[in-house]
Amino acid sequence: MADWDAALAAADVRVLLMSVFHLTGDERWLADPYRPARDVRLVADPEAGFPPAVATEIRSVARDLLKAGAEPVVTDPDPELFGRMMSWCLGEEVPPEYVPMMRTDLGFADGDVHWTDGPPPDLDLDVLVIGAGVSGLCLAAKLDRLGIPVRVVERRDSVGGTWRDNRYPGCGVDTPNHFYSYSFAPNPHWRHYFSPREEIEVYLADCADRLGVADLVTLGTEVTEARWDEASARWQVALRGPDGDTTTSAAVLVAAAGHFGSPNEVALPGLDEFAGRSFHTARWPDDVDVTGRRVAVVGTGASAMQVVPEIAPIVDHLTVFQRTAQWARHVPLYDAAVDPDAHRLFEAVPYYDRWYRFAQAWRYGDGLLRFLRKDPDWPHPERSLNRTNDRHRREMTDHLLAELDGRPDLVAKCLPDYPPFGKRILIDNGWFRTL
């Protein structure tokens, strides 16, 4: 089938291999010559290091199985088998302590809490959640499923948290959204590997609807005070909403406003005398137009690295104030759209979406852990933590030098003097070239 050929051509072969094993149950797929090459790059080679003939065989077998409508033989790999599958998929040994967590995250084990006999009939328990962002929506969905009365108050006029509030040019997620998403609410239709904020906001609004949470959220309502009342053993909560000030109470109060709900407005000396407009990126005004203006950006963190390349081509002059240089890695897929043919992989190939999520989560998460441990015998502790960490330093330094070729003044300013991962690694989306 031509359509399967196009989809399978876009597949990550290490992930497709896991789907083939699920569909056949044949353990020859977990033996040589079908072992993927270990690839620690953030964006791994989708051919997984296989010789062309082996990659073609895996795709061919997958196509025949899918064309025949094969049903999975392995639907619930036990912990021992699942551990082997994780290690085989990555071409490296995954410590066994990750098995319980990842079996839950991939949906092979139930990580939810359940009542033994249902909620007690005399249960006097209701929950008020402050904030309808990623955490608040998740908690409300889980409590509602348990039959525990839950309400969410959200001071803004829509759900989404930080992905609703941050509307600066270039805003997006710098973690792959195939795992920057709820494990229990996958999205097979991501249009990007690193989605712009609008796509994340739409995803969260959709989750609120399909998880049955939207009707539990009161929008445009802010908590102004919360006080524990010992006599009633309840929280007394003051609210301010469209109808003015009201009060409510709850047995349990959860603050899910998040770390970034209220921007850190820095009191810069002389700012009160500044005649122009000033604002935090998290409060970017809808009516601001920086075209042809002189602009100053304070900070070189993740938000600055996104907004500066976006606005630099249209402003008259741009000044960036930096406190600390940042390590930034080049990720080729950062601006890439998901191949439309690949959507079918996530929609229709059994378990492909789960193993793709796992491979991404490991590469951007705990798979990095071994590179962050300090080697007491490493002879260059002033620049790196261990031999592999030093290789990461060389790779990112080489990228920086290539991007800033001919500008030794900028190299001196932009090259960090601390080991990689000493601060959160950022993604270079044209930052160095823009500078």
Side-chain angles (χ1 to χ4, degrees):
M1 294 176 63
D3 52 352
W4 273 125
D5 285 339
L8 293 171
D12 183 316
V13 183
R14 65 178 59 76
V15 177
L16 186 63
L17 178 67
M18 295 297 101
S19 293
V20 168
F21 175 70
H22 277 286
L23 287 166
T24 63
D26 188 342
E27 295 224 6
R28 77 183 180 96
W29 299 112
L30 303 183
D32 290 331
Y34 305 108
R35 182 179 179 88
R38 180 171 180 259
D39 192 335
V40 299
R41 292 172 293 180
L42 290 181
V43 179
D45 175 13
E47 297 301 300
F50 287 120
V54 175
T56 298
E57 180 188 2
I58 294 170
R59 286 189 169 98
S60 177
V61 170
R63 182 186 64 243
D64 292 343
L65 290 166
L66 295 166
K67 185 176 179 180
E71 294 293 328
V73 174
V74 178
T75 58
D76 184 18
D78 61 49
E80 187 277 331
L81 175 58
F82 183 76
R84 283 197 288 131
M85 293 172 70
M86 285 198 301
S87 295
W88 195 261
C89 178
L90 298 173
E92 64 176 279
E93 289 302 312
V94 177
E97 56 263 33
Y98 285 94
V99 169
M101 178 179 72
M102 297 312 303
R103 270 177 51 84
T104 297
D105 190 71
L106 270 65
F108 295 116
D110 185 359
D112 283 345
V113 174
H114 299 276
W115 296 106
T116 304
D117 300 309
D122 58 346
L123 179 68
D124 183 19
L125 178 65
D126 62 314
V127 180
L128 181 65
V129 179
I130 305 172
V134 174
S135 297
L137 294 176
C138 176
L139 179 60
K142 297 297 185 178
L143 293 177
D144 185 55
R145 185 177 299 176
L146 279 169
I148 295 176
V150 56
R151 296 166 290 156
V152 183
V153 290
E154 167 57 52
R155 62 182 174 178
R156 304 296 181 188
D157 58 3
S158 61
V159 304
T162 191
W163 299 108
R164 174 210 52 235
D165 292 346
N166 284 267
R167 295 176 177 272
Y168 59 82
C171 181
V173 67
D174 57 7
T175 301
N177 39 248
H178 284 88
F179 84 92
Y180 187 85
S181 49
Y182 297 129
S183 61
F184 53 87
N187 177 15
H189 306 293
W190 289 117
R191 299 195 304 274
H192 299 83
Y193 293 99
F194 295 85
S195 289
R197 60 148 293 278
E198 297 88 348
E199 195 171 357
I200 302 290
E201 184 183 21
V202 168
Y203 165 75
L204 291 172
D206 175 69
C207 285
D209 288 332
R210 61 172 157 148
L211 297 174
V213 176
D215 291 340
L216 304 176
V217 181
T218 301
L219 298 171
T221 301
E222 184 175 12
V223 173
T224 59
E225 183 182 9
R227 178 177 53 84
W228 175 253
D229 180 61
E230 195 69 44
S232 62
R234 293 180 66 81
W235 286 94
Q236 304 301 317
V237 183
L239 305 174
R240 179 164 297 153
D243 299 324
D245 293 344
T246 59
T247 59
T248 188
S249 70
V252 176
L253 181 67
V254 179
H259 296 297
F260 307 113
S262 298
N264 181 21
E265 302 284 2
V266 180
L268 297 174
L271 187 60
D272 56 340
E273 301 173 9
F274 178 59
R277 300 188 68 171
S278 63
F279 46 84
H280 194 285
T281 49
R283 296 292 183 264
W284 192 280
D286 292 336
D287 64 342
V288 73
D289 182 4
V290 298
T291 303
R293 309 297 294 274
R294 293 178 60 83
V295 179
V297 174
V298 180
T300 55
S303 297
M305 282 204 175
Q306 291 181 344
V307 72
V308 165
E310 192 76 12
I311 67 172
I314 63 172
V315 302
D316 173 60
H317 186 275
L318 181 62
T319 302
V320 177
F321 292 92
Q322 171 182 276
R323 179 178 60 181
T324 306
Q326 305 274 9
W327 285 112
R329 181 180 289 277
H330 175 57
V331 177
L333 285 178
Y334 184 74
D335 292 318
V338 176
D339 187 331
D341 291 318
H343 285 145
R344 196 170 186 202
L345 299 169
F346 297 103
E347 294 169 346
V349 177
Y351 302 104
Y352 185 90
D353 60 337
R354 303 192 199 185
W355 285 101
Y356 189 87
R357 176 185 175 91
F358 164 69
Q360 293 281 0
W362 185 258
R363 189 165 288 112
Y364 280 78
D366 281 23
L368 295 167
L369 181 59
R370 71 184 68 187
F371 310 139
L372 310 184
R373 293 195 172 104
K374 185 176 177 63
D375 179 357
D377 299 321
W378 177 242
H380 307 291
E382 75 287 352
R383 73 185 191 207
S384 51
L385 301 173
N386 52 53
R387 182 177 301 279
T388 305
N389 188 249
D390 199 56
R391 177 170 59 80
H392 286 173
R393 183 187 186 100
R394 289 198 308 274
E395 290 172 352
M396 287 186 281
T397 299
D398 289 345
H399 171 70
L400 181 151
L401 294 175
E403 292 290 286
L404 298 179
D405 184 36
R407 290 296 304 272
D409 56 326
L410 285 178
V411 171
K413 294 176 181 179
C414 294
L415 186 62
D417 61 358
Y418 54 89
F421 299 97
K423 291 167 66 74
R424 182 174 180 266
I425 294 287
L426 301 178
I427 292 179
D428 175 24
N429 64 327
W431 169 258
F432 297 121
R433 197 175 312 122
T434 299
L435 296 184

